[in-house]
RNA sequence: CGGGCUAUAGCGCAGUUUGGUAGCGCGUUCGUCUGGGGGACGAGAGGCCGCAGGUUCGAAUCCUGCUAGCCCGACCA
């Protein structure tokens, strides 16, 4: 995999200034952490997101994203954009509110039922808060693309969606309002549409890998979107909503550093083949007879959180909505389509479900809201204050984002806060260590500490993040 | 949408059975002592007890109706 630096880091991140970073002093940051667990939160990611001051519930299944939650959300969005662009897809933005007319044309205005939030504007026109965008994108496509020469084409956007769930729960894991990447490919025939399918599978695998997640593609049901070929990507976690069955061999697969040419049909097909060969199904498509052919020691079942799905659905929408192109033989044919989604807001919860301990969150380096926490053990002590300021400036100058806990709190409270919010690295600065010229660099994940000179701690962190 | 439950200070809760004018812990403010894993002591601030109506001399408490939220199920990214 090309390193993140080949694809500029944070191109979409919070500010339009390329490479801009925002380090922070905790005394000036809005981080309302809770010592006690709010009663409404049942699962660990929801509890930790509330306690770590990442989100606040606005109403059932609808959340405000506070600064630290927002920062993680933007980092995930950023990774998704980078990997989509790398795969050659076109970023764009469609509105949240859509006209009901397009949905009447596809027949889904009636089919979608109460999950669709319907509103009426002042002129009495039927509108809806989009739960997905097949109709809108097909309309855009059919008005501008008429020839196979303009294909293949993949358009995507990352936008808020709304599905009026009967029973929202689990915080952002199953909210009514959610932030999602959805993309749509348009191809002249079935074989090229299958390449688009395979290309998406590869880019999704890479996206999840960069987020520090093991997301397993599993053959799935097409559900209300309809279609022929579809895979869901699931992250294993006890709190997952789906029961999953898989060959443990699939856990060893890794894209790693391998070069991928997204225009190479054979290579994309081979990678898809590699990931879909070991048995992996959700309970909806589980086949007990096929499963028993997996060696018993490798036969696993557990729970999984769905964090993405890819579909090939052929001409389902292009036929009903007259999205046709002229092919090389001069015939007018309905375009072949697929759609692909990544639940970006849900991923925040899924990552926490997959990475936490009893003290709090443990962020993977690639998505952490801040790269490192600086804990000043004795605020007001001249040596400690100066050492922290120097570290803060040095890290920032190297392009890293520190969160400096400069509050007048006791050491225990500062450690507890750092553990709760889960920054992967912590530099502990106190008068005792400074007498010997050292600070402590601690891994949140392993708890291991090393005593280093301040400048060596900075160098070590630069090294760690260069690999992310 | 069926079944169960909850609503009292920023958060977690008690008080409701038996009606008498609101309390605890955490947080928060100020002070003193402390200072390497949520410290101690002292003094404060903070509530139309979800909303509306009713019963009563008097309602957080009893009655009626709403609203919001949570859990189990069905459904779903």
């Amino acid at each position: 995999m090309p390193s993140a630096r080949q694809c500029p880091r944070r191109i979409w991140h919070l500010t339009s200034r390329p490479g801009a970073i925002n380090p922070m002093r905790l005394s000036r940051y809005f981080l309302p952490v809770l010592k006690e667990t709010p009663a409404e939160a049942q699962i660990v990611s929801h509890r930790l997101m509330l306690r770590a001051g990442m989100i606040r519930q606005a109403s059932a299944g609808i959340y405000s994203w506070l600064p630290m939650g927002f920062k993680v959300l933007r980092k995930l969005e950023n990774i998704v954009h980078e990997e989509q662009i790398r795969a050659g897809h076109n970023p764009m933005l469609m509105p949240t509110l859509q006209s009901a007319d397009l949905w009447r044309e596809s027949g889904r205005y009636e089919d979608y039922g109460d999950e669709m939030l319907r509103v009426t504007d002042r002129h009495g026109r039927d509108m809806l808060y989009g739960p997905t965008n097949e109709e809108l994108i097909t309309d855009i496509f059919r008005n501008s693309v008429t020839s196979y020469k303009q294909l293949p084409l993949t358009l995507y956007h990352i936008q808020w969606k709304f599905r009026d769930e009967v029973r929202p729960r689990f915080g952002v894991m199953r909210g009514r309002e959610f932030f999602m990447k959805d993309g749509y490919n348009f191809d002249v025939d079935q074989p090229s549409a299958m390449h688009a399918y395979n290309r998406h599978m590869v880019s999704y695998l890479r996206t999840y890998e960069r987020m520090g997640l093991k997301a397993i593609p599993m053959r799935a049901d097409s559900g209300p979107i309809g279609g022929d070929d579809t895979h869901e990507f699931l992250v294993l976690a006890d709190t997952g909503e789906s029961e999953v069955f898989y060959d443990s061999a699939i856990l060893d697969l890794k894209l790693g550093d391998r070069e991928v040419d997204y225009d190479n049909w054979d290579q994309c097909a081979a990678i898809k083949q590699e990931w879909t060969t070991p048995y992996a199904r959700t309970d909806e498509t589980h086949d007990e007879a096929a499963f028993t052919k997996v060696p018993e020691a490798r036969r696993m079942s557990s729970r999984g959180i769905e964090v993405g799905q890819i579909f090939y659905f052929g001409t389902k929408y292009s036929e009903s909505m007259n999205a046709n192109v002229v092919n090389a033989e001069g015939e007018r044919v309905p375009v072949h389509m697929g759609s692909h989604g990544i639940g970006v807001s849900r991923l925040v919860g899924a990552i926490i479900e997959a990475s936490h301990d009893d003290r709090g969150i443990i962020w993977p380096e690639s998505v952490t809201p801040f790269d490192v926490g600086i804990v000043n053990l004795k605020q007001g002590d001249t040596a400690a204050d100066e050492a922290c300021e120097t570290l803060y400036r040095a890290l920032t100058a190297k392009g890293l984002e520190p969160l400096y806990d400069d509050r007048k709190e006791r050491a225990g409270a500062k450690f507890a806060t750092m553990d709760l919010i889960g920054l992967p690295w912590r530099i502990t600065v106190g008068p005792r260590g400074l007498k010997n010229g050292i600070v402590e660099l601690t891994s949140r994940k392993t708890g291991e500490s090393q005593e280093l000179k301040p400048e060596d701690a900075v160098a070590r962190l630069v090294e760690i993040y260069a690999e992310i």
Side-chain angles (χ1 to χ4, degrees):
Chain A
M1 186 187 296
S3 84
R5 279 177 299 174
Q6 278 173 264
C7 196
R9 216 174 155 199
R10 304 180 176 106
I11 50 176
W12 298 84
H13 182 44
L14 284 172
T15 162
S16 57
R17 189 157 65 87
I21 61 169
N22 69 316
M24 193 56 73
R25 289 166 211 277
L26 196 43
S27 63
R28 295 212 267 153
Y29 197 50
F30 183 61
L31 186 73
V33 300
L34 304 173
K35 208 162 176 179
E36 284 169 289
T37 303
E40 76 263 19
Q42 300 301 313
I43 63 167
V44 66
S45 62
H46 189 193
R47 284 200 292 260
L48 288 174
M49 286 180 78
L50 288 167
R51 285 196 54 211
M54 294 177 68
I55 53 167
R56 278 292 157 80
Q57 179 165 308
S59 59
I62 302 177
Y63 294 86
S64 296
W65 291 75
L66 307 187
M68 205 181 71
F70 177 58
K71 208 153 182 252
V72 174
L73 190 66
R74 279 286 177 262
K75 282 206 157 182
L76 295 178
E77 180 185 11
N78 192 31
I79 290 174
V80 173
H81 270 303
E82 286 176 358
E83 293 306 326
Q84 286 302 302
I85 291 166
R86 200 200 298 278
H89 303 158
N90 289 259
M92 61 180 294
L93 188 60
M94 287 178 271
T96 52
L97 287 171
Q98 302 180 25
S99 160
D101 292 345
L102 284 173
W103 288 72
R104 291 201 175 95
E105 202 177 327
S106 74
R108 284 207 296 180
Y109 192 66
E110 285 72 32
D111 293 351
Y112 226 98
D114 292 338
E115 283 223 333
M116 179 185 278
L117 181 66
R118 295 149 204 265
V119 292
T120 309
D121 73 9
R122 67 195 297 165
H123 300 293
R125 287 185 287 241
D126 293 327
M127 312 281 290
L128 55 96
Y129 197 122
T132 176
N133 287 66
E134 279 84 1
E135 283 79 359
L136 200 49
I137 198 78
T138 304
D139 184 53
I140 290 167
F141 177 87
R142 70 182 173 184
N143 287 326
S144 307
V145 179
T146 51
S147 162
Y148 77 98
K149 290 179 183 171
Q150 292 161 279
L151 303 181
L153 179 66
T154 297
L155 300 167
Y156 79 93
H157 75 340
I158 305 181
Q159 175 64 294
W160 291 95
K161 311 277 191 298
F162 196 94
R163 291 183 195 171
D164 198 1
E165 297 278 347
V166 192
R167 192 186 157 211
R169 62 187 123 165
F170 304 153
V172 300
M173 296 264 288
R174 188 165 165 197
R176 295 194 292 169
E177 189 183 47
F178 57 100
F179 198 50
M180 180 181 175
K181 173 261 167 180
D182 52 321
Y184 307 87
N185 69 283
F186 302 89
D187 287 275
V188 69
D189 54 22
Q190 202 260 355
S192 46
M194 285 318 295
H195 170 60
Y197 187 90
N198 298 341
R199 189 178 66 235
H200 276 88
M201 174 157 306
V202 176
S203 70
Y204 275 31
L205 288 170
R206 168 170 266 163
T207 300
Y208 297 123
E209 236 175 61
R210 269 190 70 185
M211 293 173 181
L213 284 173
K214 194 72 171 176
I216 305 172
M218 302 197 180
R219 186 179 301 179
D221 260 348
S222 52
I225 293 179
D228 308 320
D229 209 341
T230 174
H231 282 85
E232 289 178 338
F233 293 79
L234 286 108
V235 172
L236 301 179
D238 297 337
T239 43
E241 74 274 51
S242 315
E243 191 174 11
V244 298
F245 303 85
Y246 59 97
D247 178 346
S248 64
I250 201 165
L251 297 176
D252 299 330
L253 297 177
K254 203 166 184 240
L255 272 179
D257 287 333
R258 79 179 81 171
E259 287 292 332
V260 176
D261 175 359
Y262 283 105
D263 292 326
N264 184 327
W265 286 31
D266 292 339
Q267 189 190 13
C268 290
I271 292 173
K272 179 214 180 173
Q273 188 64 34
E274 187 182 349
W275 256 267
T276 53
T277 299
Y279 188 92
R281 302 273 186 100
T282 65
D283 51 358
E284 290 169 328
T285 56
H286 181 54
D287 176 351
E288 192 60 39
F291 192 46
T292 50
K293 287 181 189 146
V294 176
E296 196 171 353
R298 303 206 319 241
R299 237 179 273 162
M300 317 291 261
S301 92
S302 66
R303 311 287 303 176
I305 301 166
E306 193 196 329
V307 292
Q309 188 160 12
I310 54 177
F311 296 90
Y312 164 68
F313 48 68
T315 57
K316 179 180 158 83
Y317 293 93
S318 51
E319 278 181 28
S320 65
M321 294 183 68
N322 283 314
N324 304 311
V325 292
V326 176
N327 67 14
E329 284 73 45
E331 303 158 336
R332 224 170 129 74
V333 294
V335 72
H336 283 253
M337 294 175 61
S339 73
H340 336 88
I342 293 180
V344 179
S345 50
R346 157 176 280 210
L347 269 167
V348 179
I351 290 169
I352 296 173
E353 289 294 330
S355 182
H356 67 271
D357 63 18
D358 54 359
R359 297 198 308 267
I361 302 167
I362 305 173
W363 291 113
E365 276 98 349
S366 55
V367 304
T368 184
F370 293 95
D371 296 318
V372 56
I374 302 172
V375 170
N376 186 344
L377 290 175
K378 193 166 185 181
Q379 205 70 39
D381 177 273
T382 310
D385 289 359
E386 279 175 7
C388 287
E389 287 295 335
T390 305
L391 275 167
Y392 182 78
R393 282 193 293 269
L395 289 161
T396 305
K398 293 288 184 187
L400 295 175
E401 293 180 306
L403 177 66
Y404 170 25
D405 190 345
D406 59 340
R407 297 171 302 163
K408 252 189 123 49
E409 287 288 339
R410 300 174 64 85
K414 292 190 175 188
F415 288 138
T417 298
M418 281 296 169
D419 288 345
L420 174 62
I421 68 174
L423 307 186
W425 297 94
R426 186 184 80 206
I427 300 181
T428 310
V429 180
R432 201 179 293 171
L434 288 174
K435 269 184 198 139
N436 303 314
I438 56 115
V439 296
E440 215 175 286
L441 181 64
T442 307
S443 159
R444 173 68 179 85
K445 190 171 185 175
T446 66
E448 285 165 20
S449 288
Q450 37 187 325
E451 300 195 330
L452 297 168
K453 286 190 283 188
E455 58 269 31
D456 292 340
V458 173
R460 178 77 193 105
L461 285 165
V462 167
E463 215 173 280
I464 289 164
Y465 280 98
E467 289 165 18
I468 303 307

